[in-house]
Amino acid sequence: MTNTFTIGRRRAKNCTTAPTARRAARSARPAWEEPPTAAGQTAKGLTLGAMLAAVLVPLYIIVLTSVSSPGAVNRAGGLVTWPDGLSLQAYREMLGDSTVRTALLVSLGITGVGTALSMVVSVLCAYGMSRSRSFGHRPILVLLIVTMFVSGGMIPTFLVVTGLGGYNQWWALILPGSVSVFNILVLRSFYSSTSGELIDAARMDGAGDWRILWSVVLPTSRAVTAVIALFYGVGYWNSFFNVMLYMPTESEKWPLQYVLLTYVNRGVGLPGSVNSGFGSATAQTAPLSLQMAVVVLTLVPLLVVYPFVQKHFRTGVLTGAIKG
């Protein structure tokens, strides 16, 4: 009985001291690092609060303006900062417009196809250059690095794309920017740090380069792959400049970002809407609310995808950039 009681007391003591020990371990600082001062902690809190406000306040104003009535927009003189006369009419009108629906589908298609193509090319190129015995990997690496600092320019690129028949073609919105040398170098650096024992073991089992890439390298580099895919996806989703170059008149082929740019620059409502001008007294939806609704629509896919990839940023980009 005495032994059982003693063991129980020891277990209870361990359970009580374990959280304290964990907190002490988390708060442990190196010997050369001084403890934080009250002024330093306050400055850090104010800085983080200001950065957070700089991100959230514009987003709050955009969302609030998009759900405001024409009267509320008139009373605010533009962007709405306080809830007044909320309405979802802007979203109903926006999603009911065929131009926006088509542009949304075009953007999703370009982003999906472009990201897949860019990842395939980048992964294959990075893996080939990460193998020290691959043929010509050093001259190719030097050539790629040179292209980061020296380029042909916009006019030669335009002439090449149009000469290949890319004017008014969707592939002109994907292929010219399908490869980023920076992303390839990040992938290469990460692939170079892959355990050589794993690759040697796979070769002893009879695996070739394709099998090693698919079964060894990619599974051990999911973090950097997810981050680079996010980089490519955001680039394609936000791209609109190539539309101005190669597809300025084909409105039915415009992606959502260029439709947004057109509406914002012109300051008018959607084609076929009942709005005749900014803040019209008889309008059901203020053009500014409609423009902000399109802005929200362009942000939603990124806000949905980003939380799932954000956890990979530290291990994906920083580790891949430091090693190798």
Side-chain angles (χ1 to χ4, degrees), residues 156-230:
T157 303
F158 176 81
L159 295 176
V160 171
V161 174
T162 54
L164 295 175
Y167 196 77
N168 285 336
Q169 300 295 325
W170 272 316
W171 67 262
L173 307 181
I174 299 176
L175 291 184
S178 59
V179 177
S180 170
V181 177
F182 173 79
N183 293 341
I184 292 177
L185 294 180
V186 172
L187 289 171
R188 173 187 175 273
S189 178
F190 201 97
Y191 294 165
S192 299
S193 64
T194 303
S195 174
E197 290 77 6
L198 290 176
I199 296 178
D200 292 340
R203 291 194 183 278
M204 291 179 62
D205 290 337
D209 285 323
W210 290 101
R211 186 68 177 180
I212 292 174
L213 174 62
W214 182 258
S215 301
V216 178
V217 176
L218 288 180
T220 58
S221 57
R222 292 175 182 173
V224 69
T225 303
V227 172
I228 298 302
L230 179 64

Side-chain angles (χ1 to χ4, degrees), residues 51-105:
M51 295 175 62
L52 186 63
V55 174
L56 294 182
V57 171
L59 184 60
Y60 161 78
I61 294 175
I62 290 173
V63 174
L64 185 59
T65 304
S66 69
V67 295
S68 297
S69 63
V73 175
N74 281 334
R75 287 188 292 272
L79 296 174
V80 181
T81 58
W82 188 258
D84 181 18
L86 301 182
S87 173
L88 295 177
Q89 181 62 31
Y91 290 93
R92 297 191 189 99
E93 188 171 334
M94 175 189 63
L95 296 177
D97 185 83
S98 60
T99 302
V100 175
R101 293 200 304 269
T102 302
L104 179 60
L105 295 177

